[in-house]
Amino acid sequence: MNAVGKKSNSGLSERLNTGGFRFTPQRKQVYDVLLHKRDHPTAEEVFIRAKKQMPEISHATVYNCLDALVQCGLVRLVQLERGATRYCPNMEEHCHYYCDECGTVFDVALASDAAVGPRPRGFKVDHYEIAVHGLCADCAKKK
Amino acid sequence: MNAVGKKSNSGLSERLNTGGFRFTPQRKQVYDVLLHKRDHPTAEEVFIRAKKQMPEISHATVYNCLDALVQCGLVRLVQLERGATRYCPNMEEHCHYYCDECGTVFDVALASDAAVGPRPRGFKVDHYEIAVHGLCADCAKKK
DNA sequence: GTCAAGATTTAGAATAATTCTAAAGACAGG
DNA sequence: CCTGTCTTTAGAATTATTCTAAATCTTGAC
């Protein structure tokens, strides 16, 4: 493995280790799939894409890898509708605009801390998810 | 049926009609279940509670009723974790504080329009969902 | 280096959540 | 009251996720 290859993994490896996980080729593969096409795929879609490069990878492993990445803070779960959970490697503060018609997801950065206001007494916030539902420009035009 | 009973249904009946749905005892039952205990139950939990009053109600009907209520703007879907969708009859603008440890959900009203900032060009917003993840006071204490 | 302990992957079974199907029932309009 | 449409029902089917047990890999102790 060359220096560049090594370097490209070092961040991932480190984050995994910090979370108590080992670096594995499968975890790298799953993470690469998410980084490569940022269209908020479901676990099933990640599985299909990962298989192209790594045909022996299994379903259960994809879930395992996604869970590990989520626990390490490298990936976030996105729940936009009934049915499959989607995954997003963009860890910056942003919200998801979701077209209820065609299913497209747009990431939109949040300006600031987007103060959510008061909170239950003693509640320790880890992170928040903002999903905006509606129609994308194309679908709105068709109506 | 007395006047009070009739009155208590008229709003529901009207909203259903406006959405192109009929008023049915099952839809009333499902809505009543949600109004009665506002703990963000899953469809399965709604089914179990509805059965107590209406033992013949079926699984599919509960999903049908929940869908109808959602489409009429009487109930909202809440997706907080992988797995079952929850339902919430509180249609005021509010966000959900979710304890990742014990699963408790707290509704917190949003002060204003809680400006979410810029949006994709042409996107027509219908509604938004804000979920705050973390630990409730009790669970935070135990750590 | 060799071994044991623990982590990870795999295929496939199992479970959970949701949707579909076909038949029966209810209901509004003519 | 017919007729077409909507709704409900039981249960099958599908989809999403988790579990299981065996095989493989990694790491640290010796």
Side-chain angles (χ1 to χ4, degrees):
Chain A
M1 183 177 288
N2 63 28
V4 174
K6 191 166 176 214
K7 181 148 184 277
S8 75
N9 291 339
S10 68
L12 173 56
S13 179
E14 201 174 300
R15 294 294 287 269
L16 284 166
N17 289 158
T18 303
F21 297 99
R22 290 183 184 159
F23 172 88
T24 70
Q26 287 84 352
R27 286 176 179 153
K28 165 141 176 61
Q29 177 64 35
V30 166
Y31 191 43
D32 283 350
V33 162
L34 289 174
L35 290 177
H36 180 254
K37 193 165 175 221
R38 292 158 171 260
D39 59 351
H40 307 78
T42 63
E44 181 65 21
E45 288 166 337
V46 172
F47 175 59
I48 290 167
R49 294 178 197 174
K51 259 180 114 101
K52 287 190 186 147
Q53 300 285 116
M54 191 179 267
E56 348 64 47
I57 198 169
S58 81
H59 226 146
T61 299
V62 169
Y63 278 97
N64 168 338
C65 293
L66 289 169
D67 279 349
L69 293 169
V70 168
Q71 284 184 55
C72 293
L74 289 162
V75 165
R76 56 168 67 182
L77 288 173
V78 183
Q79 310 258 166
L80 294 166
E81 49 185 348
R82 249 175 348 200
T85 299
R86 293 149 172 268
Y87 296 86
C88 170
N90 177 358
M91 296 305 287
E92 283 172 34
E93 271 196 3
H94 68 285
C95 62
H96 292 115
Y97 278 75
Y98 175 66
C99 179
D100 290 313
E101 189 75 12
C102 67
T104 307
V105 181
F106 304 86
D107 279 19
V108 174
L110 286 175
S112 65
D113 244 359
V116 176
R119 71 182 67 158
R121 179 171 296 282
F123 197 97
K124 189 155 171 300
V125 174
D126 179 58
H127 70 283
Y128 49 85
E129 298 292 338
I130 301 181
V132 183
H133 290 251
L135 297 177
C136 69
D138 288 351
C139 291
K141 224 174 287 171
K142 287 176 193 152
K143 295 254 159 169
Chain B
M1 185 175 288
N2 62 29
V4 174
K6 191 166 176 215
K7 180 149 184 279
S8 76
N9 292 339
S10 68
L12 173 58
S13 179
E14 203 173 297
R15 295 293 289 269
L16 284 167
N17 289 156
T18 304
F21 297 98
R22 289 183 185 159
F23 173 86
T24 69
Q26 287 85 350
R27 285 174 181 155
K28 165 139 176 63
Q29 177 63 38
V30 165
Y31 191 43
D32 282 350
V33 162
L34 290 174
L35 291 178
H36 180 256
K37 193 166 175 219
R38 294 159 170 259
D39 59 350
H40 307 78
T42 62
E44 180 65 21
E45 289 166 337
V46 172
F47 175 61
I48 291 166
R49 293 178 198 174
K51 259 181 114 103
K52 287 190 186 147
Q53 300 284 117
M54 191 178 267
E56 348 63 48
I57 199 169
S58 81
H59 226 145
T61 299
V62 170
Y63 277 97
N64 169 337
C65 294
L66 289 169
D67 279 349
L69 294 169
V70 168
Q71 284 183 55
C72 294
L74 289 163
V75 165
R76 56 168 66 184
L77 288 173
V78 183
Q79 311 258 167
L80 293 165
E81 48 185 350
R82 249 174 348 199
T85 300
R86 293 149 173 270
Y87 297 86
C88 171
N90 176 358
M91 296 306 285
E92 285 174 31
E93 272 194 3
H94 69 286
C95 62
H96 293 115
Y97 277 76
Y98 175 66
C99 179
D100 290 312
E101 190 74 14
C102 68
T104 306
V105 181
F106 305 85
D107 280 18
V108 173
L110 286 175
S112 66
D113 244 358
V116 175
R119 71 182 68 158
R121 180 172 295 281
F123 197 98
K124 190 156 171 300
V125 174
D126 179 60
H127 70 283
Y128 50 86
E129 297 293 338
I130 302 182
V132 183
H133 290 252
L135 297 176
C136 70
D138 288 350
C139 291
K141 224 175 288 173
K142 287 176 194 150
K143 295 257 159 168

